[in-house]
Amino acid sequence: MSNFDYDLFVIGGGSGGVRAGRLAAGLGKKVAIAEEFRFGGTCVIRGCVPKKLYVYASQFPEHFEDAAGYGWDVPKARFDWRKLVENKEREITRLEGLYRKGLENAGAEIIEARATLVDRHTLDVGGRRVTAEKILIAVGGRPNMHSALPGHEHCISSNEAFDLAELPQSIVIEGGGYIAVEFANIFHGLGVETTLVYRGKEILSRFDADLRRELHAAMEAKGIRILCHDVLTSVEKKVDGSLVAHLKSGEAVPAGQVMLAIGRIPNTAGLGLEAAGVETGKAGEILIDDYSRTNVDNIWALGDVTNRVQLTPVAIHEAMCFIETEYKGNPTSPDHDTIATAVFSQPEIGTVGLSEDEAAGRFETLEIYRASFRPMRHTLSGRQEKMLMKLVVDGESRKVLGAHVLGPDAGEMAQLLGISLKAELTKDDFDRTMALHPSAAEEFVTMYQPSYRVVKGERVG
């Protein structure tokens, strides 16, 4: 009989923590899971799910415009921000209920309180002490609010963006990653005058350079102002409540809201890690081995708090590996290689594998296959937006190293392309696959000749 109150105590009710807690409880373990806010974590409550709903909402103005080319006479539309917020809230409440139901049905104990570590086996949970044989930390991350920025207290993050009391007439967003880019497109699509400020030379620094340049041009063509090589130096709040974003370049940009989207940091502050002897890195991330175990052998960590790959499916995968390793006697380390991802910008990005620049640093010779065209859906609408598709191929083995899409449904394509790249298929496998016509995706199997080659990092042809 165990001397502990619980076999497993999970701190954090996000996707990874819930999956681990539910599976462990389903195996007959006595499990408790503590969450101080709402179950579902960043993704469900204040991240990818509400964001995708807002992306859909922001696309309708273009849909209404495009309808005319297809014979539809659409009357002038009116947007109700509060209705969107209310409907979003209803949906995430429904999803939270499903997370709770799954835990309850598996027999896990749900604790709605903050849990902190007292020592390696003891936790303080809302003022009471409990013990656990094993502890899993899955508390995720939080927005970096740039506390050194004068006036940062006047700014919002992605957390607050979903529930603003009213839609601003203008917004300044600092950042160039996928969160900043997605929200710039969302707010612009909803009729907000939008300025994006980024310190780098081009947005989306970790993505393929062709996609970055094409998306930048497309966003500016829509009317989004993008200021690269610049940063906020302060945010001033006027007497009337309006804001002014002061930039390093000397420009002062008036705004109804200023949003900071300059990255996320592990949510480890005040967690009691020092008391339990758990080691952390420079960014506050919990340091773990290949099996998600910390330096304390009965404490594990997974998801964004480890700062490995900040994606919900990754946290879920790591949770399943934890269960296999600790409760099924099947040591399994998470596989973080070749992960498909998307940026729900407008146009959308879908990508999997290596960018051209990354591949050029690893392989002697590359073949680059590239197609740019106006998608069929725009031929009658008159919209001039282009679609870009690109394959990065090892010139020696012919293995497809990277697949990149900019355009409608790019994320859906990237998920399916991820299977091909995970299976290490070659360009010859792509070539002998029959095209599905008419579709945009058929370009991936009909680009028979390389657009150019890269030899020892230098473009040829």
Side-chain angles (χ1 to χ4, degrees), residues 47-72:
C48 41
V49 170
K51 174 196 69 182
K52 190 70 178 290
L53 296 176
Y54 282 30
V55 167
Y56 287 141
S58 68
Q59 291 173 338
F60 278 99
E62 288 191 355
H63 294 334
F64 297 148
E65 290 177 3
D66 294 349
Y70 288 90
W72 289 95

mmCIF file with all atom_site columns, all heavy atoms in Angstrom, residues 47-72:
data_model
loop_
_atom_site.group_PDB
_atom_site.id
_atom_site.type_symbol
_atom_site.label_atom_id
_atom_site.label_alt_id
_atom_site.label_comp_id
_atom_site.label_asym_id
_atom_site.label_entity_id
_atom_site.label_seq_id
_atom_site.pdbx_PDB_ins_code
_atom_site.Cartn_x
_atom_site.Cartn_y
_atom_site.Cartn_z
_atom_site.occupancy
_atom_site.B_iso_or_equiv
_atom_site.pdbx_formal_charge
_atom_site.auth_seq_id
_atom_site.auth_comp_id
_atom_site.auth_asym_id
_atom_site.auth_atom_id
_atom_site.pdbx_PDB_model_num
ATOM 1   N N   . GLY A 1 47 ? -5.857  30.240 -26.847 1.00 0.00 ? 47 GLY A N   1
ATOM 2   C CA  . GLY A 1 47 ? -4.839  30.021 -27.867 1.00 0.00 ? 47 GLY A CA  1
ATOM 3   C C   . GLY A 1 47 ? -5.420  29.551 -29.180 1.00 0.00 ? 47 GLY A C   1
ATOM 4   O O   . GLY A 1 47 ? -6.284  30.212 -29.763 1.00 0.00 ? 47 GLY A O   1
ATOM 5   N N   . CYS A 1 48 ? -4.978  28.395 -29.631 1.00 0.00 ? 48 CYS A N   1
ATOM 6   C CA  . CYS A 1 48 ? -5.244  27.983 -31.008 1.00 0.00 ? 48 CYS A CA  1
ATOM 7   C C   . CYS A 1 48 ? -6.723  27.815 -31.339 1.00 0.00 ? 48 CYS A C   1
ATOM 8   O O   . CYS A 1 48 ? -7.145  28.139 -32.459 1.00 0.00 ? 48 CYS A O   1
ATOM 9   C CB  . CYS A 1 48 ? -4.477  26.709 -31.341 1.00 0.00 ? 48 CYS A CB  1
ATOM 10  S SG  . CYS A 1 48 ? -4.433  25.465 -30.047 1.00 0.00 ? 48 CYS A SG  1
ATOM 11  N N   . VAL A 1 49 ? -7.550  27.351 -30.411 1.00 0.00 ? 49 VAL A N   1
ATOM 12  C CA  . VAL A 1 49 ? -8.966  27.157 -30.736 1.00 0.00 ? 49 VAL A CA  1
ATOM 13  C C   . VAL A 1 49 ? -9.690  28.492 -30.924 1.00 0.00 ? 49 VAL A C   1
ATOM 14  O O   . VAL A 1 49 ? -10.273 28.739 -31.988 1.00 0.00 ? 49 VAL A O   1
ATOM 15  C CB  . VAL A 1 49 ? -9.663  26.274 -29.674 1.00 0.00 ? 49 VAL A CB  1
ATOM 16  C CG1 . VAL A 1 49 ? -11.167 26.273 -29.888 1.00 0.00 ? 49 VAL A CG1 1
ATOM 17  C CG2 . VAL A 1 49 ? -9.123  24.846 -29.743 1.00 0.00 ? 49 VAL A CG2 1
ATOM 18  N N   . PRO A 1 50 ? -9.692  29.392 -29.927 1.00 0.00 ? 50 PRO A N   1
ATOM 19  C CA  . PRO A 1 50 ? -10.349 30.683 -30.179 1.00 0.00 ? 50 PRO A CA  1
ATOM 20  C C   . PRO A 1 50 ? -9.685  31.467 -31.307 1.00 0.00 ? 50 PRO A C   1
ATOM 21  O O   . PRO A 1 50 ? -10.359 32.172 -32.063 1.00 0.00 ? 50 PRO A O   1
ATOM 22  C CB  . PRO A 1 50 ? -10.245 31.420 -28.838 1.00 0.00 ? 50 PRO A CB  1
ATOM 23  C CG  . PRO A 1 50 ? -9.172  30.725 -28.090 1.00 0.00 ? 50 PRO A CG  1
ATOM 24  C CD  . PRO A 1 50 ? -9.193  29.309 -28.538 1.00 0.00 ? 50 PRO A CD  1
ATOM 25  N N   . LYS A 1 51 ? -8.380  31.330 -31.450 1.00 0.00 ? 51 LYS A N   1
ATOM 26  C CA  . LYS A 1 51 ? -7.687  32.026 -32.529 1.00 0.00 ? 51 LYS A CA  1
ATOM 27  C C   . LYS A 1 51 ? -8.213  31.577 -33.890 1.00 0.00 ? 51 LYS A C   1
ATOM 28  O O   . LYS A 1 51 ? -8.487  32.409 -34.765 1.00 0.00 ? 51 LYS A O   1
ATOM 29  C CB  . LYS A 1 51 ? -6.186  31.758 -32.452 1.00 0.00 ? 51 LYS A CB  1
ATOM 30  C CG  . LYS A 1 51 ? -5.398  32.325 -33.622 1.00 0.00 ? 51 LYS A CG  1
ATOM 31  C CD  . LYS A 1 51 ? -4.017  31.703 -33.674 1.00 0.00 ? 51 LYS A CD  1
ATOM 32  C CE  . LYS A 1 51 ? -4.067  30.238 -34.064 1.00 0.00 ? 51 LYS A CE  1
ATOM 33  N NZ  . LYS A 1 51 ? -2.735  29.604 -34.083 1.00 0.00 ? 51 LYS A NZ  1
ATOM 34  N N   . LYS A 1 52 ? -8.364  30.276 -34.077 1.00 0.00 ? 52 LYS A N   1
ATOM 35  C CA  . LYS A 1 52 ? -8.846  29.790 -35.375 1.00 0.00 ? 52 LYS A CA  1
ATOM 36  C C   . LYS A 1 52 ? -10.279 30.264 -35.624 1.00 0.00 ? 52 LYS A C   1
ATOM 37  O O   . LYS A 1 52 ? -10.649 30.601 -36.766 1.00 0.00 ? 52 LYS A O   1
ATOM 38  C CB  . LYS A 1 52 ? -8.792  28.246 -35.409 1.00 0.00 ? 52 LYS A CB  1
ATOM 39  C CG  . LYS A 1 52 ? -9.046  27.612 -36.784 1.00 0.00 ? 52 LYS A CG  1
ATOM 40  C CD  . LYS A 1 52 ? -7.910  27.872 -37.737 1.00 0.00 ? 52 LYS A CD  1
ATOM 41  C CE  . LYS A 1 52 ? -8.130  27.197 -39.098 1.00 0.00 ? 52 LYS A CE  1
ATOM 42  N NZ  . LYS A 1 52 ? -8.023  25.728 -39.059 1.00 0.00 ? 52 LYS A NZ  1
ATOM 43  N N   . LEU A 1 53 ? -11.092 30.332 -34.590 1.00 0.00 ? 53 LEU A N   1
ATOM 44  C CA  . LEU A 1 53 ? -12.448 30.857 -34.744 1.00 0.00 ? 53 LEU A CA  1
ATOM 45  C C   . LEU A 1 53 ? -12.417 32.319 -35.180 1.00 0.00 ? 53 LEU A C   1
ATOM 46  O O   . LEU A 1 53 ? -13.197 32.743 -36.044 1.00 0.00 ? 53 LEU A O   1
ATOM 47  C CB  . LEU A 1 53 ? -13.225 30.709 -33.436 1.00 0.00 ? 53 LEU A CB  1
ATOM 48  C CG  . LEU A 1 53 ? -13.475 29.271 -32.957 1.00 0.00 ? 53 LEU A CG  1
ATOM 49  C CD1 . LEU A 1 53 ? -14.156 29.280 -31.600 1.00 0.00 ? 53 LEU A CD1 1
ATOM 50  C CD2 . LEU A 1 53 ? -14.293 28.477 -33.964 1.00 0.00 ? 53 LEU A CD2 1
ATOM 51  N N   . TYR A 1 54 ? -11.483 33.090 -34.612 1.00 0.00 ? 54 TYR A N   1
ATOM 52  C CA  . TYR A 1 54 ? -11.379 34.498 -34.973 1.00 0.00 ? 54 TYR A CA  1
ATOM 53  C C   . TYR A 1 54 ? -10.797 34.662 -36.376 1.00 0.00 ? 54 TYR A C   1
ATOM 54  O O   . TYR A 1 54 ? -11.122 35.613 -37.082 1.00 0.00 ? 54 TYR A O   1
ATOM 55  C CB  . TYR A 1 54 ? -10.532 35.257 -33.942 1.00 0.00 ? 54 TYR A CB  1
ATOM 56  C CG  . TYR A 1 54 ? -11.278 35.582 -32.661 1.00 0.00 ? 54 TYR A CG  1
ATOM 57  C CD1 . TYR A 1 54 ? -12.302 34.756 -32.192 1.00 0.00 ? 54 TYR A CD1 1
ATOM 58  C CD2 . TYR A 1 54 ? -10.972 36.695 -31.904 1.00 0.00 ? 54 TYR A CD2 1
ATOM 59  C CE1 . TYR A 1 54 ? -12.985 35.048 -31.021 1.00 0.00 ? 54 TYR A CE1 1
ATOM 60  C CE2 . TYR A 1 54 ? -11.645 37.005 -30.731 1.00 0.00 ? 54 TYR A CE2 1
ATOM 61  C CZ  . TYR A 1 54 ? -12.653 36.161 -30.294 1.00 0.00 ? 54 TYR A CZ  1
ATOM 62  O OH  . TYR A 1 54 ? -13.334 36.452 -29.134 1.00 0.00 ? 54 TYR A OH  1
ATOM 63  N N   . VAL A 1 55 ? -9.927  33.745 -36.761 1.00 0.00 ? 55 VAL A N   1
ATOM 64  C CA  . VAL A 1 55 ? -9.421  33.755 -38.137 1.00 0.00 ? 55 VAL A CA  1
ATOM 65  C C   . VAL A 1 55 ? -10.580 33.587 -39.112 1.00 0.00 ? 55 VAL A C   1
ATOM 66  O O   . VAL A 1 55 ? -10.702 34.326 -40.095 1.00 0.00 ? 55 VAL A O   1
ATOM 67  C CB  . VAL A 1 55 ? -8.369  32.647 -38.345 1.00 0.00 ? 55 VAL A CB  1
ATOM 68  C CG1 . VAL A 1 55 ? -8.076  32.444 -39.839 1.00 0.00 ? 55 VAL A CG1 1
ATOM 69  C CG2 . VAL A 1 55 ? -7.072  32.992 -37.617 1.00 0.00 ? 55 VAL A CG2 1
ATOM 70  N N   . TYR A 1 56 ? -11.439 32.610 -38.838 1.00 0.00 ? 56 TYR A N   1
ATOM 71  C CA  . TYR A 1 56 ? -12.612 32.403 -39.706 1.00 0.00 ? 56 TYR A CA  1
ATOM 72  C C   . TYR A 1 56 ? -13.447 33.683 -39.786 1.00 0.00 ? 56 TYR A C   1
ATOM 73  O O   . TYR A 1 56 ? -13.872 34.101 -40.866 1.00 0.00 ? 56 TYR A O   1
ATOM 74  C CB  . TYR A 1 56 ? -13.474 31.266 -39.170 1.00 0.00 ? 56 TYR A CB  1
ATOM 75  C CG  . TYR A 1 56 ? -12.905 29.882 -39.354 1.00 0.00 ? 56 TYR A CG  1
ATOM 76  C CD1 . TYR A 1 56 ? -13.047 28.919 -38.359 1.00 0.00 ? 56 TYR A CD1 1
ATOM 77  C CD2 . TYR A 1 56 ? -12.239 29.514 -40.515 1.00 0.00 ? 56 TYR A CD2 1
ATOM 78  C CE1 . TYR A 1 56 ? -12.542 27.632 -38.517 1.00 0.00 ? 56 TYR A CE1 1
ATOM 79  C CE2 . TYR A 1 56 ? -11.725 28.241 -40.669 1.00 0.00 ? 56 TYR A CE2 1
ATOM 80  C CZ  . TYR A 1 56 ? -11.876 27.291 -39.673 1.00 0.00 ? 56 TYR A CZ  1
ATOM 81  O OH  . TYR A 1 56 ? -11.382 26.028 -39.828 1.00 0.00 ? 56 TYR A OH  1
ATOM 82  N N   . ALA A 1 57 ? -13.673 34.294 -38.626 1.00 0.00 ? 57 ALA A N   1
ATOM 83  C CA  . ALA A 1 57 ? -14.494 35.512 -38.596 1.00 0.00 ? 57 ALA A CA  1
ATOM 84  C C   . ALA A 1 57 ? -13.872 36.616 -39.449 1.00 0.00 ? 57 ALA A C   1
ATOM 85  O O   . ALA A 1 57 ? -14.574 37.335 -40.173 1.00 0.00 ? 57 ALA A O   1
ATOM 86  C CB  . ALA A 1 57 ? -14.657 35.991 -37.157 1.00 0.00 ? 57 ALA A CB  1
ATOM 87  N N   . SER A 1 58 ? -12.560 36.733 -39.384 1.00 0.00 ? 58 SER A N   1
ATOM 88  C CA  . SER A 1 58 ? -11.880 37.819 -40.083 1.00 0.00 ? 58 SER A CA  1
ATOM 89  C C   . SER A 1 58 ? -11.793 37.608 -41.586 1.00 0.00 ? 58 SER A C   1
ATOM 90  O O   . SER A 1 58 ? -11.483 38.537 -42.336 1.00 0.00 ? 58 SER A O   1
ATOM 91  C CB  . SER A 1 58 ? -10.466 38.006 -39.511 1.00 0.00 ? 58 SER A CB  1
ATOM 92  O OG  . SER A 1 58 ? -9.636  36.895 -39.819 1.00 0.00 ? 58 SER A OG  1
ATOM 93  N N   . GLN A 1 59 ? -12.072 36.395 -42.056 1.00 0.00 ? 59 GLN A N   1
ATOM 94  C CA  . GLN A 1 59 ? -11.992 36.099 -43.485 1.00 0.00 ? 59 GLN A CA  1
ATOM 95  C C   . GLN A 1 59 ? -13.265 36.469 -44.246 1.00 0.00 ? 59 GLN A C   1
ATOM 96  O O   . GLN A 1 59 ? -13.239 36.593 -45.476 1.00 0.00 ? 59 GLN A O   1
ATOM 97  C CB  . GLN A 1 59 ? -11.692 34.610 -43.696 1.00 0.00 ? 59 GLN A CB  1
ATOM 98  C CG  . GLN A 1 59 ? -10.289 34.206 -43.273 1.00 0.00 ? 59 GLN A CG  1
ATOM 99  C CD  . GLN A 1 59 ? -10.084 32.702 -43.336 1.00 0.00 ? 59 GLN A CD  1
ATOM 100 O OE1 . GLN A 1 59 ? -11.042 31.922 -43.303 1.00 0.00 ? 59 GLN A OE1 1
ATOM 101 N NE2 . GLN A 1 59 ? -8.833  32.284 -43.428 1.00 0.00 ? 59 GLN A NE2 1
ATOM 102 N N   . PHE A 1 60 ? -14.356 36.668 -43.545 1.00 0.00 ? 60 PHE A N   1
ATOM 103 C CA  . PHE A 1 60 ? -15.630 36.886 -44.229 1.00 0.00 ? 60 PHE A CA  1
ATOM 104 C C   . PHE A 1 60 ? -15.672 38.132 -45.111 1.00 0.00 ? 60 PHE A C   1
ATOM 105 O O   . PHE A 1 60 ? -16.282 38.094 -46.183 1.00 0.00 ? 60 PHE A O   1
ATOM 106 C CB  . PHE A 1 60 ? -16.780 36.879 -43.226 1.00 0.00 ? 60 PHE A CB  1
ATOM 107 C CG  . PHE A 1 60 ? -17.232 35.497 -42.865 1.00 0.00 ? 60 PHE A CG  1
ATOM 108 C CD1 . PHE A 1 60 ? -16.804 34.894 -41.693 1.00 0.00 ? 60 PHE A CD1 1
ATOM 109 C CD2 . PHE A 1 60 ? -18.059 34.778 -43.711 1.00 0.00 ? 60 PHE A CD2 1
ATOM 110 C CE1 . PHE A 1 60 ? -17.197 33.617 -41.366 1.00 0.00 ? 60 PHE A CE1 1
ATOM 111 C CE2 . PHE A 1 60 ? -18.460 33.493 -43.392 1.00 0.00 ? 60 PHE A CE2 1
ATOM 112 C CZ  . PHE A 1 60 ? -18.029 32.902 -42.219 1.00 0.00 ? 60 PHE A CZ  1
ATOM 113 N N   . PRO A 1 61 ? -15.045 39.264 -44.723 1.00 0.00 ? 61 PRO A N   1
ATOM 114 C CA  . PRO A 1 61 ? -15.076 40.404 -45.639 1.00 0.00 ? 61 PRO A CA  1
ATOM 115 C C   . PRO A 1 61 ? -14.547 40.072 -47.037 1.00 0.00 ? 61 PRO A C   1
ATOM 116 O O   . PRO A 1 61 ? -15.120 40.503 -48.044 1.00 0.00 ? 61 PRO A O   1
ATOM 117 C CB  . PRO A 1 61 ? -14.193 41.440 -44.931 1.00 0.00 ? 61 PRO A CB  1
ATOM 118 C CG  . PRO A 1 61 ? -14.360 41.119 -43.484 1.00 0.00 ? 61 PRO A CG  1
ATOM 119 C CD  . PRO A 1 61 ? -14.433 39.627 -43.428 1.00 0.00 ? 61 PRO A CD  1
ATOM 120 N N   . GLU A 1 62 ? -13.465 39.298 -47.116 1.00 0.00 ? 62 GLU A N   1
ATOM 121 C CA  . GLU A 1 62 ? -12.945 38.914 -48.428 1.00 0.00 ? 62 GLU A CA  1
ATOM 122 C C   . GLU A 1 62 ? -13.887 37.939 -49.123 1.00 0.00 ? 62 GLU A C   1
ATOM 123 O O   . GLU A 1 62 ? -14.056 37.982 -50.347 1.00 0.00 ? 62 GLU A O   1
ATOM 124 C CB  . GLU A 1 62 ? -11.545 38.324 -48.295 1.00 0.00 ? 62 GLU A CB  1
ATOM 125 C CG  . GLU A 1 62 ? -10.494 39.360 -47.956 1.00 0.00 ? 62 GLU A CG  1
ATOM 126 C CD  . GLU A 1 62 ? -9.074  38.826 -48.086 1.00 0.00 ? 62 GLU A CD  1
ATOM 127 O OE1 . GLU A 1 62 ? -8.922  37.607 -48.362 1.00 0.00 ? 62 GLU A OE1 1
ATOM 128 O OE2 . GLU A 1 62 ? -8.130  39.615 -47.917 1.00 0.00 ? 62 GLU A OE2 1
ATOM 129 N N   . HIS A 1 63 ? -14.499 37.041 -48.355 1.00 0.00 ? 63 HIS A N   1
ATOM 130 C CA  . HIS A 1 63 ? -15.469 36.114 -48.961 1.00 0.00 ? 63 HIS A CA  1
ATOM 131 C C   . HIS A 1 63 ? -16.629 36.883 -49.577 1.00 0.00 ? 63 HIS A C   1
ATOM 132 O O   . HIS A 1 63 ? -17.095 36.562 -50.679 1.00 0.00 ? 63 HIS A O   1
ATOM 133 C CB  . HIS A 1 63 ? -16.006 35.134 -47.912 1.00 0.00 ? 63 HIS A CB  1
ATOM 134 C CG  . HIS A 1 63 ? -14.979 34.186 -47.367 1.00 0.00 ? 63 HIS A CG  1
ATOM 135 N ND1 . HIS A 1 63 ? -13.866 33.819 -48.066 1.00 0.00 ? 63 HIS A ND1 1
ATOM 136 C CD2 . HIS A 1 63 ? -14.917 33.504 -46.178 1.00 0.00 ? 63 HIS A CD2 1
ATOM 137 C CE1 . HIS A 1 63 ? -13.140 32.963 -47.338 1.00 0.00 ? 63 HIS A CE1 1
ATOM 138 N NE2 . HIS A 1 63 ? -13.765 32.760 -46.197 1.00 0.00 ? 63 HIS A NE2 1
ATOM 139 N N   . PHE A 1 64 ? -17.101 37.898 -48.854 1.00 0.00 ? 64 PHE A N   1
ATOM 140 C CA  . PHE A 1 64 ? -18.209 38.707 -49.376 1.00 0.00 ? 64 PHE A CA  1
ATOM 141 C C   . PHE A 1 64 ? -17.795 39.413 -50.675 1.00 0.00 ? 64 PHE A C   1
ATOM 142 O O   . PHE A 1 64 ? -18.560 39.470 -51.637 1.00 0.00 ? 64 PHE A O   1
ATOM 143 C CB  . PHE A 1 64 ? -18.653 39.744 -48.344 1.00 0.00 ? 64 PHE A CB  1
ATOM 144 C CG  . PHE A 1 64 ? -19.210 39.149 -47.077 1.00 0.00 ? 64 PHE A CG  1
ATOM 145 C CD1 . PHE A 1 64 ? -19.051 39.800 -45.859 1.00 0.00 ? 64 PHE A CD1 1
ATOM 146 C CD2 . PHE A 1 64 ? -19.896 37.947 -47.090 1.00 0.00 ? 64 PHE A CD2 1
ATOM 147 C CE1 . PHE A 1 64 ? -19.570 39.267 -44.684 1.00 0.00 ? 64 PHE A CE1 1
ATOM 148 C CE2 . PHE A 1 64 ? -20.414 37.398 -45.918 1.00 0.00 ? 64 PHE A CE2 1
ATOM 149 C CZ  . PHE A 1 64 ? -20.249 38.062 -44.717 1.00 0.00 ? 64 PHE A CZ  1
ATOM 150 N N   . GLU A 1 65 ? -16.581 39.940 -50.701 1.00 0.00 ? 65 GLU A N   1
ATOM 151 C CA  . GLU A 1 65 ? -16.085 40.605 -51.906 1.00 0.00 ? 65 GLU A CA  1
ATOM 152 C C   . GLU A 1 65 ? -15.968 39.619 -53.071 1.00 0.00 ? 65 GLU A C   1
ATOM 153 O O   . GLU A 1 65 ? -16.353 39.926 -54.210 1.00 0.00 ? 65 GLU A O   1
ATOM 154 C CB  . GLU A 1 65 ? -14.714 41.235 -51.636 1.00 0.00 ? 65 GLU A CB  1
ATOM 155 C CG  . GLU A 1 65 ? -14.735 42.436 -50.705 1.00 0.00 ? 65 GLU A CG  1
ATOM 156 C CD  . GLU A 1 65 ? -13.331 42.959 -50.440 1.00 0.00 ? 65 GLU A CD  1
ATOM 157 O OE1 . GLU A 1 65 ? -12.367 42.404 -51.030 1.00 0.00 ? 65 GLU A OE1 1
ATOM 158 O OE2 . GLU A 1 65 ? -13.185 43.902 -49.642 1.00 0.00 ? 65 GLU A OE2 1
ATOM 159 N N   . ASP A 1 66 ? -15.413 38.444 -52.788 1.00 0.00 ? 66 ASP A N   1
ATOM 160 C CA  . ASP A 1 66 ? -15.191 37.457 -53.844 1.00 0.00 ? 66 ASP A CA  1
ATOM 161 C C   . ASP A 1 66 ? -16.492 36.906 -54.405 1.00 0.00 ? 66 ASP A C   1
ATOM 162 O O   . ASP A 1 66 ? -16.536 36.440 -55.557 1.00 0.00 ? 66 ASP A O   1
ATOM 163 C CB  . ASP A 1 66 ? -14.347 36.298 -53.297 1.00 0.00 ? 66 ASP A CB  1
ATOM 164 C CG  . ASP A 1 66 ? -12.932 36.734 -52.933 1.00 0.00 ? 66 ASP A CG  1
ATOM 165 O OD1 . ASP A 1 66 ? -12.551 37.858 -53.300 1.00 0.00 ? 66 ASP A OD1 1
ATOM 166 O OD2 . ASP A 1 66 ? -12.219 35.951 -52.277 1.00 0.00 ? 66 ASP A OD2 1
ATOM 167 N N   . ALA A 1 67 ? -17.552 36.932 -53.612 1.00 0.00 ? 67 ALA A N   1
ATOM 168 C CA  . ALA A 1 67 ? -18.823 36.339 -54.039 1.00 0.00 ? 67 ALA A CA  1
ATOM 169 C C   . ALA A 1 67 ? -19.370 36.996 -55.300 1.00 0.00 ? 67 ALA A C   1
ATOM 170 O O   . ALA A 1 67 ? -20.030 36.340 -56.123 1.00 0.00 ? 67 ALA A O   1
ATOM 171 C CB  . ALA A 1 67 ? -19.847 36.439 -52.905 1.00 0.00 ? 67 ALA A CB  1
ATOM 172 N N   . ALA A 1 68 ? -19.089 38.284 -55.496 1.00 0.00 ? 68 ALA A N   1
ATOM 173 C CA  . ALA A 1 68 ? -19.631 39.013 -56.650 1.00 0.00 ? 68 ALA A CA  1
ATOM 174 C C   . ALA A 1 68 ? -19.187 38.373 -57.965 1.00 0.00 ? 68 ALA A C   1
ATOM 175 O O   . ALA A 1 68 ? -19.963 38.289 -58.930 1.00 0.00 ? 68 ALA A O   1
ATOM 176 C CB  . ALA A 1 68 ? -19.197 40.473 -56.596 1.00 0.00 ? 68 ALA A CB  1
ATOM 177 N N   . GLY A 1 69 ? -17.940 37.917 -58.020 1.00 0.00 ? 69 GLY A N   1
ATOM 178 C CA  . GLY A 1 69 ? -17.429 37.290 -59.229 1.00 0.00 ? 69 GLY A CA  1
ATOM 179 C C   . GLY A 1 69 ? -18.113 35.983 -59.559 1.00 0.00 ? 69 GLY A C   1
ATOM 180 O O   . GLY A 1 69 ? -18.040 35.492 -60.693 1.00 0.00 ? 69 GLY A O   1
ATOM 181 N N   . TYR A 1 70 ? -18.778 35.404 -58.581 1.00 0.00 ? 70 TYR A N   1
ATOM 182 C CA  . TYR A 1 70 ? -19.497 34.141 -58.773 1.00 0.00 ? 70 TYR A CA  1
ATOM 183 C C   . TYR A 1 70 ? -21.005 34.349 -58.861 1.00 0.00 ? 70 TYR A C   1
ATOM 184 O O   . TYR A 1 70 ? -21.782 33.387 -58.727 1.00 0.00 ? 70 TYR A O   1
ATOM 185 C CB  . TYR A 1 70 ? -19.143 33.177 -57.638 1.00 0.00 ? 70 TYR A CB  1
ATOM 186 C CG  . TYR A 1 70 ? -17.736 32.644 -57.770 1.00 0.00 ? 70 TYR A CG  1
ATOM 187 C CD1 . TYR A 1 70 ? -16.665 33.310 -57.190 1.00 0.00 ? 70 TYR A CD1 1
ATOM 188 C CD2 . TYR A 1 70 ? -17.471 31.500 -58.512 1.00 0.00 ? 70 TYR A CD2 1
ATOM 189 C CE1 . TYR A 1 70 ? -15.370 32.843 -57.328 1.00 0.00 ? 70 TYR A CE1 1
ATOM 190 C CE2 . TYR A 1 70 ? -16.187 31.016 -58.655 1.00 0.00 ? 70 TYR A CE2 1
ATOM 191 C CZ  . TYR A 1 70 ? -15.136 31.690 -58.067 1.00 0.00 ? 70 TYR A CZ  1
ATOM 192 O OH  . TYR A 1 70 ? -13.843 31.220 -58.214 1.00 0.00 ? 70 TYR A OH  1
ATOM 193 N N   . GLY A 1 71 ? -21.407 35.606 -59.069 1.00 0.00 ? 71 GLY A N   1
ATOM 194 C CA  . GLY A 1 71 ? -22.809 35.877 -59.326 1.00 0.00 ? 71 GLY A CA  1
ATOM 195 C C   . GLY A 1 71 ? -23.642 36.224 -58.118 1.00 0.00 ? 71 GLY A C   1
ATOM 196 O O   . GLY A 1 71 ? -24.859 36.413 -58.247 1.00 0.00 ? 71 GLY A O   1
ATOM 197 N N   . TRP A 1 72 ? -23.008 36.333 -56.952 1.00 0.00 ? 72 TRP A N   1
ATOM 198 C CA  . TRP A 1 72 ? -23.768 36.638 -55.739 1.00 0.00 ? 72 TRP A CA  1
ATOM 199 C C   . TRP A 1 72 ? -23.795 38.138 -55.492 1.00 0.00 ? 72 TRP A C   1
ATOM 200 O O   . TRP A 1 72 ? -22.773 38.806 -55.562 1.00 0.00 ? 72 TRP A O   1
ATOM 201 C CB  . TRP A 1 72 ? -23.153 35.939 -54.523 1.00 0.00 ? 72 TRP A CB  1
ATOM 202 C CG  . TRP A 1 72 ? -23.346 34.464 -54.532 1.00 0.00 ? 72 TRP A CG  1
ATOM 203 C CD1 . TRP A 1 72 ? -22.472 33.523 -54.996 1.00 0.00 ? 72 TRP A CD1 1
ATOM 204 C CD2 . TRP A 1 72 ? -24.481 33.759 -54.056 1.00 0.00 ? 72 TRP A CD2 1
ATOM 205 N NE1 . TRP A 1 72 ? -22.986 32.263 -54.836 1.00 0.00 ? 72 TRP A NE1 1
ATOM 206 C CE2 . TRP A 1 72 ? -24.229 32.370 -54.261 1.00 0.00 ? 72 TRP A CE2 1
ATOM 207 C CE3 . TRP A 1 72 ? -25.692 34.140 -53.473 1.00 0.00 ? 72 TRP A CE3 1
ATOM 208 C CZ2 . TRP A 1 72 ? -25.137 31.388 -53.907 1.00 0.00 ? 72 TRP A CZ2 1
ATOM 209 C CZ3 . TRP A 1 72 ? -26.599 33.150 -53.122 1.00 0.00 ? 72 TRP A CZ3 1
ATOM 210 C CH2 . TRP A 1 72 ? -26.320 31.794 -53.337 1.00 0.00 ? 72 TRP A CH2 1
#
